[in-house]
Amino acid sequence: MAHSIEETDLDEEKQLGDVQVSRSNEFTPTFDFSAAEEQALLRKQDLAILPLCAAIYFLCYLDRSNIGNARILNSTTYNDMQTETHSSQYQFNIALMAFLVAYAIFEVPSNILLKKLRPSRWIAFLMFSWGAITMGLGGVQNFSSLAAVRFILGASEAGLFPGLVYYLTFWYKSDERSVRVASILASATLAGAFGGAIAYGIGHMNGASGLSAWRWLFIIEGAPSCVSSLFVLFFLPDYPEEHFKGREREIALARLKVEGSKRHHRSMTWEDAKTTLTDWRLYGHYLIYFGVSVPFSSLSLFTPSITAGLGYKDLQAQLMSVPPYALAYVTQIAVSWSADHFNARGIHSAAFALIGAVGFMALVTLPVDAFHHRYGCLILASAGTFACIPPMLGWLSSNVYSTASVGLAIAINVSFGGGIGQIPGVWIYPKEEASRGYPTGHWTNAGMLLMVSAGAAGLRVWYGYKNRKLLREANGQEVRLFRL
């Protein structure tokens, strides 16, 4: 059952002594350590893990989303990617979708391989692969090659984000994860901001060495991923029990005895898979992540096009895509810290999904020529959309307890949302609607975010009901409660 402690997980760590699980989901290990020691260990972990993971995802997102910049880069001189690959809008969208199809297919097997092959090795391999493939995009000449390369890129990037979320469960307790996930995911918003600025600068290289600027964009942005993969291979720590020594190692193991995935636990079996796949409450998590993935993907791919539709042209449109991402970065971090601190991930996700929905509804209801007001609404919509994602991921991983199950659940969640859920986002901003302010895209995103808000609130109510029931049935005994 989801609310019970995994007995096999506890038995495998008897050397650390017995634990008692309290109503707050905390525990009292027989190995004593002070709060100051634990905070010092957390700071050391954060410095070893988070900057590197954020940098990895920054480069991943930069290489994934730069096609949105390339699509309109130097379009006024007909040197943009869509024109030079002789692709219709429909064909270009098919190429975008090919990435997401591969993304959905390869999520689950990638998370299984991450534990089998060690995180540092698998992530370094993925990183080198997508960097090389991104550089290859600079050489595509037609729709067929564009679609094929995008599919391979999706396969290589598929395992990174769910892999990083799974990786964090080996290092952090459940009430420490959302803000860490946010610090990694927020690097995507930074990548979106820098992506527009980089595209603006590279746009001035149009024709250099006989290459259009969009080709230089892929070459220049893909190379750092290849080089950085070697750094990841040698410096990304795999597991706390290997990274720390002496007393620090004992503290790391003791504080994660009940919460957290374990290196030495078995890999996923068919029984683990069956248990996870038939845990129906998890499908509520998958559904709301599917909902938020539609605006997430459409903003990732079309923010430069949306800003171009707000009266900003060509290179200026690239530059004006920066502020929405910049504010989203700050909002993500603040909201995720608050969600963990107050054990209120569901409410935070529901509230900020609603804010994002309001931003999209305002975008479509304001007069088309109210450019400045509509640009402010785009910033609001972006902040709301991005801010509700990290608490969702922290919420899911906090309510799945065995090492095998949490890896599978995270992979399914991101596969269903990050892959299948992002496909509609490819189609909802047709170019011919630019003069009308993209009503289809904005209404669709607003509707999906309203669904997310209602779904997150419903899950929160359900978990609260289950916790009250567990406490009534416990008769004063300690019991593990669902995170809210």
Side-chain angles (χ1 to χ4, degrees), residues 276-314:
T276 305
L277 291 171
T278 56
D279 192 346
W280 303 115
R281 69 185 172 86
L282 296 179
Y283 287 84
H285 289 277
Y286 304 155
L287 181 63
I288 61 174
Y289 197 73
F290 176 94
V292 79
S293 293
V294 177
F296 175 82
S297 69
S298 61
L299 286 171
S300 303
L301 296 170
F302 294 107
T303 294
S305 298
I306 296 170
T307 56
L310 294 174
Y312 303 103
K313 301 300 181 185
D314 206 359

Side-chain angles (χ1 to χ4, degrees), residues 88-262:
S88 66
Q89 180 179 328
Y90 177 79
Q91 289 176 319
F92 202 89
N93 285 352
I94 289 291
L96 296 180
M97 193 174 72
F99 174 95
L100 298 172
V101 170
Y103 201 82
I105 293 172
F106 291 98
E107 298 271 4
V108 173
S110 183
N111 252 22
I112 295 171
L113 286 169
L114 179 136
K115 186 173 185 295
K116 284 185 174 292
L117 301 180
R118 305 179 72 88
S120 59
R121 295 173 186 172
W122 183 241
I123 291 173
F125 169 75
L126 294 178
M127 196 173 188
F128 183 86
S129 299
W130 83 61
I133 295 163
T134 298
M135 295 177 71
L137 273 171
V140 298
Q141 300 294 331
N142 51 47
F143 160 70
S144 299
S145 59
L146 170 60
V149 176
R150 283 288 294 180
F151 182 87
I152 300 170
L153 182 64
S156 64
E157 289 197 6
L160 181 70
F161 187 59
L164 290 177
V165 176
Y166 183 33
Y167 171 67
L168 292 182
T169 67
F170 288 90
W171 292 82
Y172 295 99
K173 294 190 291 185
S174 58
D175 61 355
E176 299 165 348
R177 291 177 197 160
S178 291
V179 71
R180 269 84 182 180
V181 171
S183 69
I184 295 172
L185 187 62
S187 64
T189 61
L190 277 185
F194 276 96
I198 292 170
Y200 175 80
I202 293 177
H204 293 90
M205 293 177 61
N206 196 35
S209 299
L211 298 178
S212 298
W214 68 266
R215 297 186 186 277
W216 281 115
L217 182 67
F218 288 120
I219 295 168
I220 291 172
E221 290 188 349
S225 294
C226 293
V227 175
S228 300
S229 65
L230 296 175
F231 192 84
V232 171
L233 179 63
F234 292 109
F235 292 100
L236 181 69
D238 288 311
Y239 304 106
E241 55 265 48
E242 297 175 357
H243 181 65
F244 294 115
K245 304 295 182 184
R247 183 170 176 80
E248 286 184 335
R249 179 180 184 276
E250 296 303 311
I251 295 172
L253 288 173
R255 69 185 219 93
L256 292 170
K257 180 167 182 176
V258 172
E259 301 187 46
S261 301
K262 313 296 189 294

